[in-house]
Amino acid sequence: MKFTKALFVLLLLILVSTNVFAWYNNDWGYRQELSLNTSNLGLSGDITNDHVILVDINSDNTAFWGRVDSNFNDVLFVAADDTTPLNFHAEEANYAGESFIAWVEVTDTFASATNETIYLYYDADGKTHAGNEAGTYPSTYKAVYHLNEASGTRYDSTSNNNDLTTTTWVDSVGVGKIGPSAPTGSGVKGAGDGDLKMSANSDDFEDLSFSILTWVKHSGGAVGDNAYLETLWCFAASDKGYVFSTDYGSQTLKLEASMQNSSYSFVGETIDALSADTWTLAVLTYDTSDDDAFIYFNDVLKASNTSIAEPSFANNPTLSLVNDFYAWNGTKDETKFINYRLSQDEITLLYNSENENLITFGAEEAGAGVYASFDYNINKYLTKIDFNSTSTAVATTINSYSWLINGVEQSTDENFSYTTTQLQDINACLYVADAGEVNTNQVCTQFNTGDWEAPTTFATAAQIANYSTANINITCTDNNSACDRVYYKINSGAWTDTNSLPIDVNYNVIGTHTLQWYATDLAGNIEDTNSLNFTITGDTTPPTITFSTSIVDVGFVNDFNVGLTLYCADNRLDDLNYIIQKTANGTTTTLLNVQDSNAQTKYYWDNLSVGANQYTGKCIDYNGNSVQQDSNIIYAMNFRLINEETGAALTDLNAVDVDALKAYTYDGNNVYDYNIYAPATKYFIDYDNVVRFDLTYNDVSETKLSREIDFGLLPDANVGICIAPFQSFYGQFLVSSIEKDVIVFNDFAECYNLASTTKFAYENALMVRAFTINKPYYLYTWIDDIKTLLATIDGSKATVINLDVLEFNKETYTFEIATDTVVFKCLEDPTTGICDQNTISIYYKSLREDNATTNLKIYHNNTLLWQYTEEDEPNEFNTNWFYGDDDLNANTVLKLTITKTSEAGASTSSDYWFDLQGQSYSGTMDASLALIFSFMLLFVGLTLVAYRYAMGWFGIALCVIAVGILSFAPGFWYIQFMQAIMVIVAVFIAIVFSNETRGVN
């Protein structure tokens, strides 16, 4: 029984000590199982030959890149038995770019029904394995070219050292790819260009079956599209050998086998062209035992031939990837020469391996032992770091923990908390071990506790002077990691965040508001929310406005253009609304409505509508205060002159014996001469819509005919105005006890004789009331927009109609022929009555008293000495001109120009002459004209008459008249000089006349 118990314990110890966890070597911490998915390739049977497969580990394999050494010396591939290391070497090992490409020799059978397995080991503890490039390839691989070299020799990766030497025209167009450095598709090499080849000379290529596999990419169209032969590769000796190339001008890849002095035999079946710019595995296999040759693209059989003759090489043949005469139009990569004919299954295996369709990576596994790992959480509010072990154990148990912070042990617990402060560098290490410390492991992490201090901000919100706007400014500072974003909102609005700091925005809503804001820094610290109140006050003062209309011409015009000018200014500097409106015949239209900065001038050109036009300028400030200014009503009229006898339009008034036509506005202030050759339709602009047309006939008595038209009474867009040909006129007089709007219309000629409330109908210059009008006229009233026929006037006889209910009282126009009053005198002292010798007093009174402004300017010659504008009392005022600082004397003649602007905007100017003694001159004649007229009068008068008249009373009279003409001109010195000459001439004539009368010579 004791023996039995002892045996049981012994067996138990043996079982416990047996390593039931399969692992190549515990010095390697991790591995991944690589499944070779041969069961998915459709193989016809198992592959027993050894082959080299491609293993590509890219950035997607995060487990591998998280543990592998940067020099990759800890990488190892192991066979499925988990004990046999496999030969491999790395074509690319780029730690920074996370790319590891390895070629691994697999010596196990590639089963068709099941998947083979190999293992990838890494993270070795003190072990290194650099791989074995020469030993990677089995003896059947005679040459393998990765073509990673940038230039020069391309090395064979097998132990056979069949390196490719290079001459002219061969370049690498990228690591792992070669291509001709001559222009792509250059075709047959020209004379003198040198060799174009990359070749290796070896007895490994002699008298044997073979398979050549090359990855190719064709440029510029499919293979064979060009009219020359392109060589994929060749190997030959003494003009005997094989060439794998395209046929001339066809889409055929062919294999040529040549023997000296014999013809070629080749695989010449038409096959699919290689796709342009696509990598393709081109494979040619040949077996010397049966002369069979096969061509594959990728793993698809494209062509075969069973009659390729085997050349007998007399010496070592040369394998060339680029031959002496023909260039491949594209690039090549990864080329293998194997010394037997590969089967379809082997080609499928190698194609899927190198096309990365063979391997599936399994999950990462850890080896037996303990594996230290941990995570941590920085709690800036509790000023501590919580460390939590995430360590694991495989086939054992963690027995102890040791936490070291910056080299000092802090705890032996599985988890612990460490009190610290911000901005501290921490080197945290966790050491774990199992019982007896058979297995140990340590992991360390370096980090900084970071910034725990929130940023600080400062904000202001204050109304901007002279604006109904508040400026909001928020600045942010951070002592450590820098400000990231500032969040702010006004009242209950949405939060706005920005990293464009400082914040400088404007807010323009009247009232009291609350601004809230806070900031975050790059470390994620959040400031507490701040707030402040601010107020924006409104404004009740309206803007100021200047609005004017500018008509280029009034009277008879060629168009209806009118210029409008609007100026707005406000006591606050916020933007203003500038508005210009037009009211034409009762309809209001907005011409301009823009928002712009304060104190701007806006210009607008408009076309007047026929009828009454009034323009309104408006200024509206930000607070809604507004001001507007209306223009005077501007009347635009279209009319045609009509021959009332024939109804034809008149373009030449001479045709009806009219010498002149003048138009008078209602107040008689403006008189316009009409061009008697004007077009039939004419435009008229004025500030009154009543116009009287006076026609003067070319008869001896200069008979006048008047037509008065109130365009406001007529609905017509184009008014016909009656013009009567010259004849004897009978008078018609319309008499009424009350004033009415009356229209006299000629239906035959469709023209108007009268449309007005005026009291005037016809007038003859000699007031001879003999009128003959051959056509009937129709008399209407126009009351409340209703046109009513009152009577028909017989034009064949004199008629007086008493229209108590029809017409208005007869009354003629009266015109005031006078001028404004201007008085010059010295400024008298009100106490002493003594004149101020340095000041002139000027009194002005307007005749019509319709001035809006009056401007005075005083000139000496063409030099402006003084100016003054009266706006408060522009129709009558006194003003004084102090001239003491000017270099003037008492006899200096000066010119006063008075420019008066009416309420309607029309401006007129008048000139007055005076001297500093207060003497004024009529100014009715220009000084130059007075000189010319007086001289011509005297010269012509004295030379055209007989001597006795010239030297008599007639000559003296001419001198007196000449002096009188000069007196109408301003008293310039040369005028006075000429007057003195005239007096001297008169005295001389008087003396001569007196002597001749007395007989004295």
Side-chain angles (χ1 to χ4, degrees), residues 178-194:
I178 65 167
S181 62
T184 302
S186 60
V188 178
K189 178 194 69 158
D193 284 335

Side-chain angles (χ1 to χ4, degrees), residues 57-310:
I57 307 173
N58 57 35
S59 59
D60 293 338
N61 197 332
T62 55
F64 174 82
W65 292 108
R67 303 185 190 278
V68 70
D69 287 345
S70 60
N71 57 14
F72 300 100
N73 286 338
D74 57 343
V75 175
L76 180 66
F77 293 92
V78 179
D81 60 9
D82 209 8
T83 60
T84 305
L86 299 177
N87 291 321
F88 75 96
H89 75 276
E91 179 180 350
E92 181 177 12
N94 184 346
Y95 185 81
E98 296 188 349
S99 176
F100 185 80
I101 299 175
W103 296 93
V104 182
E105 181 187 30
V106 177
T107 55
D108 292 333
T109 298
F110 297 94
S112 60
T114 60
N115 295 334
E116 185 61 47
T117 296
I118 64 174
Y119 292 98
L120 165 65
Y121 279 86
Y122 51 93
D123 191 25
D125 187 9
K127 297 287 186 178
T128 60
H129 196 289
N132 180 7
E133 182 174 2
T136 299
Y137 298 93
S139 60
T140 54
Y141 284 60
K142 295 302 182 180
V144 173
Y145 305 107
H146 297 313
L147 305 178
N148 278 342
E149 298 79 9
S151 61
T153 300
R154 273 61 167 184
Y155 293 99
D156 176 16
S157 292
T158 72
S159 60
N160 300 308
N161 297 321
N162 290 319
D163 301 331
L164 297 173
T165 58
T166 257
T167 58
T168 311
W169 281 15
V170 177
D171 245 353
S172 287
V173 295
V175 175
K177 308 173 184 64
I178 65 167
S181 62
T184 302
S186 60
V188 178
K189 178 194 69 158
D193 284 335
D195 289 338
L196 173 63
K197 65 182 180 180
M198 173 183 287
S199 58
N201 181 278
S202 174
D203 58 2
D204 288 326
F205 309 138
E206 186 176 301
D207 297 332
L208 45 75
S209 301
F210 64 87
S211 297
I212 297 183
L213 302 85
T214 301
W215 282 94
V216 296
K217 181 164 66 173
H218 193 266
S219 301
V223 171
D225 282 352
N226 301 300
Y228 50 82
L229 181 147
E230 299 177 20
T231 300
L232 189 60
W233 55 259
C234 71
F235 69 97
S238 301
D239 296 328
K240 300 177 181 179
Y242 304 91
V243 177
F244 191 23
S245 65
T246 65
D247 199 3
Y248 284 103
S250 69
Q251 294 185 342
T252 301
L253 275 176
K254 66 180 183 181
L255 174 67
E256 293 183 347
S258 64
M259 292 179 290
Q260 195 170 10
N261 300 323
S262 65
S263 60
Y264 291 92
S265 59
F266 57 89
V267 175
E269 291 80 356
T270 299
I271 59 177
D272 295 338
L274 294 174
S275 298
D277 297 320
T278 301
W279 284 104
T280 301
L281 180 62
V283 182
L284 185 141
T285 66
Y286 177 70
D287 194 333
T288 58
S289 64
D290 53 15
D291 294 335
D292 289 346
F294 300 91
I295 295 175
Y296 299 84
F297 283 175
N298 298 329
D299 61 344
V300 178
L301 179 64
K302 292 295 184 179
S304 62
N305 194 292
T306 58
S307 59
I308 296 296
E310 175 192 358

Side-chain angles (χ1 to χ4, degrees), residues 835-854:
C835 287
D836 185 342
Q837 298 303 315
N838 296 305
T839 306
I840 286 290
S841 176
I842 302 172
Y843 169 78
Y844 170 79
K845 185 178 188 307
S846 171
L847 174 67
R848 300 193 178 280
E849 298 188 348
D850 62 349
N851 295 348
T853 62
T854 302

